[in-house]
Amino acid sequence: MSRVVFLEERCKGCRLCVAACPCGILRPSGRFNRHGYEVMEQAGTCSGCASCAVMCPDVAIRVFRSVKAKEGAA
Amino acid sequence: MDAHALEAALRPADGEKCVFDTNPVLNERLTHYCPGCLHGVAHRLVSEVLHEPDLAPRTILVAAVGCATFTYDYFNVDGLEAPHGRACAVATGVRRARPEAVVFTYQGDGDMAAIGLAESLHAANRGERITSIFINNTVYGMTGGQMAPTTLLGQKTTTTPEGRCLAREGGPVHLAEIMAGLEGVAFAARCALDSVAHVRAAKKALRRAFEVQIQNLGFGFLELLSSCPTNWHMDPVTAARHVAESMIPVFPLGVFKDKAAAPSGKPSDAANESEHTAGGAADA
Ligand SMILES: Cc1ncc(C[n+]2csc(CCOP(=O)(O)OP(=O)(O)O)c2C)c(N)n1
Ligand code: SF4
Ligand code: SF4
Ligand code: SF4
Ligand SMILES: [Mg+2]
């Protein structure tokens, strides 16, 4: 299964990643970073499409794709 | 997640490949931009284009005045600050003094299309070998949301409290189309940062905007439709949707000029230029 990693201290809680995820698996986590922003979490099966990371203005997301998953644009 | 767990999570496991990472041109400093401001997405695109291929060691950034004034803090390239609106004039000097350099300006709509319109148009008209990235967010973001030349008709700003009125303030300035009409401009396009597909198309256009400079064809111009959630009084997701629903219909996306794509590729061969309007072409 593919997965995303949030660099939580970079996150500003904007939720653009949540809106961008075509699988609808990202959500606010209820946890806050040291700047006071609510950070996001993965809650479901990730396709590794990187849409969330493409939209993140703070480059707070890294995407690891399972190589068995479909290859596509990064 | 503590530091150890994060370090472990950032190592690809067996059967995994990292398909989205940062790059060495973008440094690790957190930006001062508001949450969800698309200036950050534009910065990432610039860093990627300067990293693949490795242009950064010979790149010089000329920063403007506006929310992106401190943009030189976020890139591992040389940079300097221009007076408000004069980034293209400063960049002209830099590029002429250092012809081997890759020189770009990063300017807001207030900076480039209002106070700096003359310097910008004349640098473009002279065909200076520079690349200008124009962030259209329809307001003066930094100073609290005054009307910009790009403000939409009917849009309420602190200086148009009843909405921008065509008869009183004129209509939104379409800088990409104006730039495309100048002989010295080798590439002029408008893209948007509101969606994954548009961001990916914007990266391709940005690469072309740098290529024309490197190929010595002339001035490279890219307008990026961006957001200002703070001064629009919208949450970031609604602001991105506003770009799609209210800005794109007024500011059509497309490549308006690309001399590098001309069959002969000669800078003076204006008649053979492939010109496209609205949509599509930027995604090619
Ligand atoms: C000579 C001068 N006049 C006015 C200002 C005030 N000022 C600072 S930023 C700005 C407008 C910036 O708007 P824009 O270029 O659209 O950038 P944004 O903040 O929206 O990204 C103005 C008028 C200034 N700094 N210098
Ligand atoms: S990589 Fe794609 S599927 Fe996975 S969380 Fe991000 S947007 Fe969703
Ligand atoms: S897009 Fe980036 S900054 Fe915004 S909530 Fe998601 S991870 Fe955080
Ligand atoms: S004021 Fe607007 S343009 Fe400036 S950083 Fe905030 S959201 Fe971005
Ligand atoms: Mg602006």
Side-chain angles (χ1 to χ4, degrees):
Chain A
M1 183 172 91
S2 301
R3 65 190 170 94
V4 292
V5 177
F6 290 98
L7 305 181
E8 294 184 348
E9 294 307 320
R10 297 194 65 84
C11 177
K12 292 180 184 160
C14 73
R15 306 189 185 188
L16 285 172
C17 54
V18 175
C21 177
C23 301
I25 60 155
L26 300 181
R27 67 181 184 198
S29 67
R31 290 180 296 107
F32 294 81
N33 66 17
R34 84 186 130 94
H35 306 288
Y37 294 122
E38 186 176 11
V39 297
M40 307 297 127
E41 65 183 14
Q42 178 185 337
T45 307
C46 168
S47 71
C49 69
S51 297
C52 52
V54 166
M55 284 311 293
C56 177
D58 291 283
V59 200
I61 304 177
R62 303 291 178 271
V63 183
F64 296 89
R65 186 184 295 157
S66 160
V67 287
K68 276 159 246 151
K70 185 173 146 282
E71 289 290 336
Chain B
M1 204 185 283
D2 66 28
H4 275 305
L6 182 60
E7 222 187 286
L10 288 173
R11 271 193 299 270
D14 272 351
E16 268 183 2
K17 164 171 119 187
C18 182
V19 292
F20 192 98
D21 204 352
T22 187
N23 69 74
V25 180
L26 199 62
N27 65 39
E28 295 192 342
R29 229 171 255 142
L30 262 186
T31 69
H32 66 288
Y33 301 118
C34 304
C37 173
L38 296 174
H39 266 303
V41 175
H43 282 28
R44 178 178 64 77
L45 296 183
V46 171
S47 72
E48 289 181 359
V49 166
L50 295 178
H51 180 56
E52 332 143 343
D54 189 18
L55 300 172
R58 58 185 180 112
T59 298
I60 301 172
L61 150 64
V62 182
V65 170
C67 280
T69 290
F70 300 122
T71 184
Y72 45 73
D73 281 346
Y74 306 128
F75 295 104
N76 292 325
V77 303
D78 250 336
L80 71 164
E81 175 64 44
H84 200 5
R86 277 64 178 191
C88 287
V90 172
T92 296
V94 173
R95 185 61 156 80
R96 288 187 181 200
R98 295 277 179 94
E100 76 291 351
V102 176
V103 180
F104 76 101
T105 71
Y106 185 103
Q107 304 175 255
D109 40 13
D111 185 87
M112 190 170 204
I115 190 169
L117 187 63
E119 286 78 3
S120 306
L121 289 189
H122 287 295
N125 193 50
R126 293 191 304 271
E128 299 297 342
R129 273 50 175 168
I130 60 176
T131 300
S132 285
I133 299 153
F134 173 63
I135 303 293
N136 177 351
N137 60 7
T138 76
V139 284
Y140 290 10
M142 184 199 208
T143 45
Q146 295 82 2
M147 191 194 96
T150 46
T151 295
L152 303 174
L153 289 176
Q155 183 179 339
K156 290 189 169 123
T157 68
T158 58
T159 46
T160 54
E162 266 137 49
R164 183 178 188 166
C165 159
L166 184 63
R168 200 171 45 216
E169 287 98 18
V173 167
H174 289 71
L175 198 54
E177 289 88 335
I178 294 171
M179 286 291 184
L182 300 177
E183 178 58 35
V185 173
F187 181 85
R190 180 184 294 113
C191 294
L193 301 174
D194 62 300
S195 70
V196 176
H198 285 161
V199 171
R200 289 195 161 122
K203 182 172 166 184
K204 287 185 185 153
L206 187 59
R207 197 184 297 286
R208 305 290 282 165
F210 276 98
E211 274 167 6
V212 293
Q213 164 182 178
I214 294 159
Q215 294 164 357
N216 218 21
L217 293 172
F219 188 90
F221 177 84
L222 179 63
E223 175 169 343
L224 293 172
L225 303 184
S226 191
S227 68
C228 180
T230 300
N231 289 297
W232 293 357
H233 310 290
M234 291 176 190
D235 67 75
V237 173
T238 308
R241 201 177 311 129
H242 180 76
V243 173
E245 290 171 0
S246 302
M247 286 179 73
I248 292 176
V250 175
F251 297 108
L253 306 186
V255 177
F256 301 105
K257 188 177 200 177
D258 188 350
K259 283 192 183 178
S264 69
K266 287 202 193 83
S268 58
D269 200 0
N272 285 326
E273 269 158 26
S274 56
E275 298 214 352
H276 318 272
T277 46
D283 307 293

